[in-house]
Each structure stands twice: as structure tokens, then as C-alpha cells.
């Protein structure tokens, strides 16, 4: 990761003291050589005046260039932060999917286990497969939602990495560090595996959850 340069405020050039334009000399009563000398001095004064104005314009131009460089640097840093915000937004979306899928899988498995326990303990005669099917449907819905969330997370992160890499080549951003391992994605994969085990137990009586 490249070190970011600190943004310093450029100093505005001091206001130019207004100097009057040299007056046009009156050479109507002067001889030719003397009049030529006066005109030469007048032209020199005008030249000095124009040079002073030109130097001040150059200083202002350099000041505007410095301001433009600072604005570019600040824009680059905002772009860096926008990528981080997008990354965190994808993480939050995945965590929301995990919470919803966990509720569906947990609720469906609980319904299945509750009615299965009643049936085994003969506390209630359960002749219909509706509770089992309903629990399976909830768990399957949770798994489908979780699968879609995992696919969305993977595609969104790949696209985000590609865009950041493309913008890094022309130095539009500074931060080229690798995104950390997504804890939300790891949790989603573990929950997906747990949901598959729950389906295997509920449908076929297989797995360690029995």
C-alpha cells in the first residue's frame, strides 16, 4: 500500500500593488533626440509595468495549479474510501442474508425435531407428513436464499476487485492492498454446510445431526 501524501493548502500570492501606467510624455516642445529619449523611457516604463503584471499572473497560475493538484489528491482519496464503503456494504448485505437463512433453517429444523420427538415419545399421534414437509421446505428455502447470497457476494467482490485494479493502473487511486478474507462469506459457507446436513438428516436420516 502506497503512503498517501498529505494535502497542504497552497499559499495565495499577495495582492499586487496597483501601479499607474506611466503617463505619456509631452514632447511637443522638445527637440528630436530629447523627444526620442523621453519616448524610450516611456516604453521602458510600460515594459516594466507589463513584466510586473506578467509575473503576478504567473504566480496566480501556479497557485491555481497547486489547488488543482490538491483537489485531484482529495478526489483520489475519496475514491479509495468509496471502494472501502462498497466492500463493507457487500459484507452487510451478506450478513443480512445469513440472518434470514439462519432463521429459516433453524425454524424449519426445530419444527421437524419437535414433531418427530412427539411422534417417538407417543405424546401425540402424528399421521401426516405435513410438519416434516413444512420443516424441509423452510430449510430448503433457507439454503436457496443462502446460495444466492454466496453467489452475489462472490460476483460483487470479483467485480469490485476488477474495477479497483483497472483504476489503479492510471493511478486514479492509491490503495492497492488486497481486501481481507470475508468473515461473512466464511460464515455463510459454514451455515450452508450445516443446512445441507440438516436436509440430509430430515429427508434421509443421515449425517451427524441424528
Amino acid at each position: 500500500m502506497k503512503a498517501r501524501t498529505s494535502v497542504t493548502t497552497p499559499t495565495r500570492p499577495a495582492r499586487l500593488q496597483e501601479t499607474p501606467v506611466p503617463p505619456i510624455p509631452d514632447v511637443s516642445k522638445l527637440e528630436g533626440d530629447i523627444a526620442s529619449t523621453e519616448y524610450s523611457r516611456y516604453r521602458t516604463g510600460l515594459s516594466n509595468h507589463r513584466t510586473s503584471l506578467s509575473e503576478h499572473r504567473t504566480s496566480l497560475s501556479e497557485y491555481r495549479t497547486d489547488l488543482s493538484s490538491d483537489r485531484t489528491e482529495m478526489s483520489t482519496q475519496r475514491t479509495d474510501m468509496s471502494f472501502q464503503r462498497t466492500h463493507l456494504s457487500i459484507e452487510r448485505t451478506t450478513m443480512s442474508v445469513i440472518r434470514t437463512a439462519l432463521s429459516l433453517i433453524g425454524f424449519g429444523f426445530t419444527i421437524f425435531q419437535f414433531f418427530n420427538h412427539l411422534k417417538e415419545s407417543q405424546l401425540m399421534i402424528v399421521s401426516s407428513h405435513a410438519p416434516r414437509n413444512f420443516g424441509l421446505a423452510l430449510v430448503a428455502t433457507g439454503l436457496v436464499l443462502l446460495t444466492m447470497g454466496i453467489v452475489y457476494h462472490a460476483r460483487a467482490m470479483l467485480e469490485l476487485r476488477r474495477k479497483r485494479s483497472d483504476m489503479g493502473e492510471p493511478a486514479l487511486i492509491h490503495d492497492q492492498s488486497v481486501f481481507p478474507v470475508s468473515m461473512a462469506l466464511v460464515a455463510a459457507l459454514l451455515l450452508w454446510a450445516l443446512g445441507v446436513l440438516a436436509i440430509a438428516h430430515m429427508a434421509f436420516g443421515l449425517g451427524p445431526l441424528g
Side-chain angles (χ1 to χ4, degrees), residues 45-116:
L46 286 179
S47 178
N48 292 335
H49 186 70
R50 285 196 299 267
T51 301
S52 177
L53 293 177
S54 177
E55 291 176 351
H56 187 64
R57 282 196 299 268
T58 301
S59 300
L60 289 176
S61 178
E62 293 174 351
Y63 174 68
R64 286 194 297 268
T65 301
D66 292 339
L67 287 179
S68 177
S69 299
D70 287 347
R71 284 195 296 268
T72 301
E73 176 65 23
M74 293 177 66
S75 177
T76 301
Q77 293 184 9
R78 283 195 297 267
T79 304
D80 290 342
M81 295 304 297
S82 70
F83 275 103
Q84 297 298 330
R85 286 193 297 270
T86 305
H87 173 223
L88 293 177
S89 177
I90 296 172
E91 291 284 301
R92 287 193 298 270
T93 302
T94 304
M95 288 189 289
S96 298
V97 173
I98 289 174
R99 287 194 295 268
T100 305
L102 180 60
S103 300
L104 290 170
I105 294 173
F107 190 52
F109 191 74
T110 301
I111 290 177
F112 172 82
Q113 287 292 85
F114 176 73
F115 283 97
N116 190 47

Side-chain angles (χ1 to χ4, degrees), residues 151-196:
V151 172
Y152 165 79
H153 182 99
R155 293 183 63 180
M157 287 303 300
L158 287 175
E159 182 66 15
L160 186 65
R161 286 189 173 95
R162 184 189 66 79
K163 288 184 177 180
R164 194 173 68 154
S165 177
D166 292 343
M167 294 184 70
E169 292 179 1
L172 295 178
I173 60 174
H174 293 320
D175 190 1
Q176 289 294 309
S177 60
V178 179
F179 285 128
V181 177
S182 173
M183 293 295 102
L185 182 60
V186 172
L189 292 173
L190 292 176
L191 181 60
W192 188 88
L194 185 61
V196 171

